[in-house]
Each structure stands twice: as C-alpha cells, then as structure tokens.
Amino acid sequence: MSLSYLKFRAIGRVIFCLLTLCFVVTQKVAYGQVIPIETNNTAMVLTVDKGHLLHVSYFGRKLKDPQGYAQFKAQLHQAGDPSGVANTAYSSSGSRNLFEPAVSVIHADGNTSLALQYVSSSVKRVSEDIIETTVQLKDAVYDFRVALIYRAYQKDNVVEQWAEITQNEQGNVRLNKFASANLYWYGDGFWLKNYHGDWAREMQPEVTKLSHGIKTLDTKLGTRADLFQPPVFMVSTEHAPEEDQGEVMLGSIEWSGNYRVDLELDNQNNLRIIAGMNNFADAYELAPGKVFQTPKFLYTLSQNGTGTASRDLHSWARKYRILEGQGSRLTLLNNWETTGFNFDEQKLKAILEDTKKLGVDLFLLDDGWFGNKYPRNDDHAGLGDWQENKKKLPDGIQAVVKQADKTGVKFGIWIEPEMVNPKSELYEKHPGWVIKQPNRPEYYFRNQLVLDLSNPQVQDFVFGIVDSLFIKNPTLAYIKWDCNAVIYNAYSAHLKNQSALYVEYVRGLYKVLERIRAKYPKVPMMLCSGGGGRVDYAALKYFTEFWPSDNTDPLERVYMQWEYSYFYPAISTANHVTNWGSQPIKYKVDVAMMGKLGFDIPVGKLKPEELSFCQQAVRQYDQLSDVIWHGDQYRLVSPWNHDFASLMYVVPDKNKAVMFSYLVSNRYGAGSELPVKLKGLDSSKYYRVEEVNLYNGAKSRIRVNKENRYSGAFLMQVGFNPVVSAGRSSVVLVLTATD
Ligand code: DGJ
C-alpha cells in the first residue's frame, strides 16, 4: 500500500469520526417506541403512548438487549394508575395529573391547565463519551413547549437532565413550578439518605425508608442555600444504601440557590422524584418567545452500592465539572484561626516567613484587611469597602505581595464580595443595591446584608472587586470567596417583578463568575460559605475547591469528610490543620491530608518536633497528592459503626495506593483488632506496604512479611492491619506495586 493511500484512509477516518460526532438524528417516534437514555451501565427509558404522552417506563440497569425495555411493562402487576399519567416524563398540573407536578403554569388567558404531548426527539453525539437526547413536548391546546434534555456521560454513568420552556401565547405565561427532572422508579421499597446541618455541623446524614406521600428536601435561604440542607442525596432500593452492593442513585441539583426535591411514593409503590429550583415565592413570568432554562439535575445510578456510584461521580466531576479537576492544588497557610481580624504588616511578614518554613506553597490572608471609615476590625463593619485598611496595611496589599515574592511563597486573599455591612461606605452610597424590604426594619445574619446581584450595576461592582485585585497584584495566586449571610426580607429595588429575585440573584452570580473565569480562567478559588453552606456542582464549575466546614476538629472532620466523599472528590475538599480539637498534631495532619491540605495554626507556637513533623508531612503530601487527588477512592471501614475509619485512594494503573485510618473511639482497647480488607488493587500484582507520616522517630508497628511483598489478592481477601490503637490514633500506609 502506498503512503498516500494510507494518508487518504486516515483523513477519511477523521472525516467520518467528525461526521459521527456531530451527527444529530431526529425522529418522530411511533406509538410504543422507546427512547432509551443510556450510559454504559444505566438506562432511563422513555416511551410514547397512544395519546402521545411521554412516560418513564424503565429506570435501572442497562439491558444488553434493548427489547427488554419494552417487555418490562408486561412484568408489572401493580394496582394501576387511573390517571394514566403518574409516570409521565414531565408531569404537569391542571389536567389529569393529581400527583406532584414538575411544571405548573397560568397561561396568558388565565387558564391553568397543561397537558404536554410528545412531538419529536433527537440524539446528538457530543463526543465519544457524551450522548445528548432532546425530547420536544407541546401542549395540545396552547402554544406552550418544553424541551427535555438528557446528557448521558457513558463511562461515568452520569446523566444531567434539564428542561427548556418556551411559549408563544398572547402575553406572559406564569410559571408556578419549573422542575429540571421528573424521574419514575419501580423498586421494592426505597431508602433515602439525606443531610442536614448548621454552622460547624455540616453534612449530618439521616437514613429513612420512604413512606407513602411526599418527602421534600429544600432550602429557602437564597444565598448560602445549603446551610441547613445540602442539595445532595441518595436513594437505594430494597435496603438502606450499602457501600459495595445494591442499587443506589446519588443525585443533586446543580444550582447555588433555593432548590427543591420532592420524593413521592405513589399509590402503586413507585417513586416519583421531581427536582429543580425551589418555586417558593418564585413564580416566574415567561414572556412570549423567551426561553426559561432550568438548572441541571445530576444523577448516577449504581448496581454495586455507593462505592461505585461515588467513584463514577468523582471521575465525572474531575473530568467535566470542577475547575482544574484534573490539575493540581496549592498547599497553604491561612491566618484566620491565628490572628482573626487582628494583624498588621509586621505580623503578616512573620506569617509569610512561617509559610516558607512550613514548606507550603501559599499564604492566604483572610478577613479584616479592608475598610477605613468603618475599619473591618470585627464582623460588624467594613464589609463592602474593599480598600486596604491604612492602619493595618499602610503600604497596601501590594507590599504584602512583594514581601511574599521576596520570601518565595505565593499569596492569596479572602473576599466576601456579595455582602455588605450596614456600617460601610458602600451601604451609605448605594442603599438601593441591598436586598431589603423598603417598609420593614432590617434584619441581619452575621451583621450583614446581601447585595442585589440581579442588578447589573451590582454585578459590575462585584466583578470589579476581583478584577482590580488582579490588576493591582498580577501575581495574586488564590482567592477565598466567602458568603456568610442568608436573604432575609427578600426585595430588590432593581426588579419590577419581585418573584424573580431568587432566580435572578443566582443567575447574576453566575454572570459575574463567568466574567471572572473569562479573564482569569485558572486562578484557584475556594468556594466558602461560613463553611459548607454553598457547595454544588454548578458553583464548582468556577471553583477549584470548597470549604466543607469551619469545624476543623479532626474527629468531627473524619465524619464530615466521609459524608462529603460520597459526592465530591478529595481534590475539591479543602482541609486545614487548626487548633480545633485536642488530638495530636499527627492526627490533625493525617485527617487534613484526606483532601487538599492546608494549615491555619500559629506556626511559631509549634514545638520543634511538631514543626519538623509538619514539614516532613508537607513533603510527604507532595509525594502522595497525585494519588489522593486523582486516584479512585474506596471507603473501607465506616466510622459510624466501628472504632476507627479507614479509606484508601488508588491510582488508575493500580501501582500505588494510600490508606488512611483514624481512631474515632476512646473506649478501652478500641482499635483495629482484625485486618482491614483493601479494595481497588490489582489482585495479580504484588505490593510493598510502608507506613509514612510517622511522628518524629516513632517506629512503625505494622507487621510486614520478610520480603514486604503481598499480593493484591491477599490484601483484598485477607486484608492488612494498620494497627490503629489509642497510642496510634491515625495511620497512613502507602502501597507500591513491586516485582
Ligand atoms: C467564614 C469562613 O468560613 C472562615 O473560614 C473565615 O474566612 C471567616 N468567614 C472570616 O470572616
């Protein structure tokens, strides 16, 4: 074969691939035909009925033979659904559906009925991994349409789904409800694991068997919306969620404001899940010709328990969502827990030296650096006045940045740009930029109010805060973006239609973040909200990491980080070593290593042996971070029902793994009596086991065989004992593949 022929074939193949990738297949589906939304292992199947209604006819494991989807219905002998619409793919109100609707409207002529019918569907191959299916629905009477969009990530078994609502009636249509997703699930009982929380008590899990009726997960806080109830949850069938077996779905709504998830067990014992923005105080006026796009609802479904589900979700999040999810992170020293608001240039200079001494990459200057007429010396004043406080920083941030450069460390800074203290020049100048009811007394959360991000002028102001920091300090390497107030007295002086405020606030926030990322695409930013009050998969598009909680007591963190780990990968979880908790420094560092490591301690007050341990641990972390950030996570021993917790991370080629174990009980004799069965290794490979992060000079008590060589099969079937005990309350083991 000639070279030019080979070239010709290669070019032909490329053209063919491009054509298939961009190919959109549109079809009008005949009655009974199915539209499967599949990933490698999962399927949600839509079916069109005689009356052109679109139903969710199957939700579960992907079948090799798609014929099976159509045969599923015949296997159901349930009570029956007199309305015939209980399982529609986007149920509406005002017609036959008497269950919780996904969409509810008042038409331009005042009519309140909606009955959506199937029009057409199309399938687009976005990439080798992503298939996007769009289904068009339309009301038979009114010119009101909904496009349901399903983006299926094949390898990670993740589906994002959302709706685009349009209308061409004689005037505005009021959307009273506008969900993103409407699932329908046939299963033998459903168990829900959801979370509640508060400041310093984030991610507290609860597991319940769903009973008939509706269980609603929601928030109405507006800004740091997840404080009392994060938007993540899981549902399993047949029994409560288990780590390595059983069917379980992990779900979340990608929205940084008020959300609502209704889980309704219907008369046939099937589960309806309706998820989207919260429609509380939030009816939306949709003008003719305009598109209302809902946020995305995200789920992954596993047939092998939460372990597989969370590894799939992590893999998806690192690849497709978290900013720089496949990149690296900066270790840091923060000053919040050590100085609070009380610092000056001299103190910061010393902390910069400490940053260098500790060996971390960056110094993060926290709250308190700004405000002059109303200095930010506590949390009652100054928020909104983003000029350096002249007493604390007479030569400005620029001098600190210069000093950081000189010291050989990077510099990052704290901001809380969406908020304002009433005691501020900003408030005096722009009272109309603040969310508050005009006729009522102000009511504060942490002595502050929320700026009205629905107003483009406020958006410019917030963008300007970040932009001018970068313009003045081009080497600025990190931003901690805080958000500490909820929205009380919701009212916007800018908006004509008040009920749009909650939606427009979040859209305004995203507009600002888009602008920041367009100009500064990669600068690491921490999503903070007085702790974990705001983390979701829409926000993480703009942030490299989030702050799970102000509670850094490592014992509390073992549980919290464990729960976060079901939904968010370690690379996104910022963990700091602080003075919270009375555990040894080794325990604190080992717990913080299970994610993105940082410190917030007075380094100068550490004993010499504590300092040298921390320095060595930072160096060790640099060696291990690749495994922790990019490896697959396996939860081994749960802290909820054992004396200790164990979990591990394994790189994709299975040549290296890190295992963390933490004692969580102080009862007599508590510890790891038996070997812990490892997971995710290659059973045919051999591994060397080594204990690292030993406290200065301590000898490891793990028992290894003469060659220090264990097969993956042995480690996974028999296990390995990390020898956790009161005297060894945390243990870090590194496993390296060997010949
Ligand atoms: C709340 C954050 O969670 C803390 O880490 C700290 O940055 C304070 N705000 C500063 O006010």
Side-chain angles (χ1 to χ4, degrees), residues 94 110 145 163 171 181 206 232 292 333 336 339 359 378 414 418 517 531 573 640 659 674 703 711:
R145 291 161 196 267
E206 281 171 332
V232 289
F292 182 88
L333 177 64
W336 175 245
T339 67
D378 57 43
W414 177 98
E418 297 159 76
R517 283 312 178 193
T573 316
W640 295 102
M659 173 185 178
L674 298 170
R703 285 197 216 132
S711 72

Side-chain angles (χ1 to χ4, degrees), residues 28-35 46-55 57 117-119 121 135:
K28 294 215 172 211
V29 178
Y31 153 62
Q33 206 164 330
V34 295
I35 307 167
L46 309 173
T47 308
V48 185
D49 76 6
K50 270 189 207 137
H52 305 284
L53 295 174
L54 184 72
H55 300 270
S57 53
Q117 295 188 330
Y118 173 84
V119 178
S121 69
V135 184

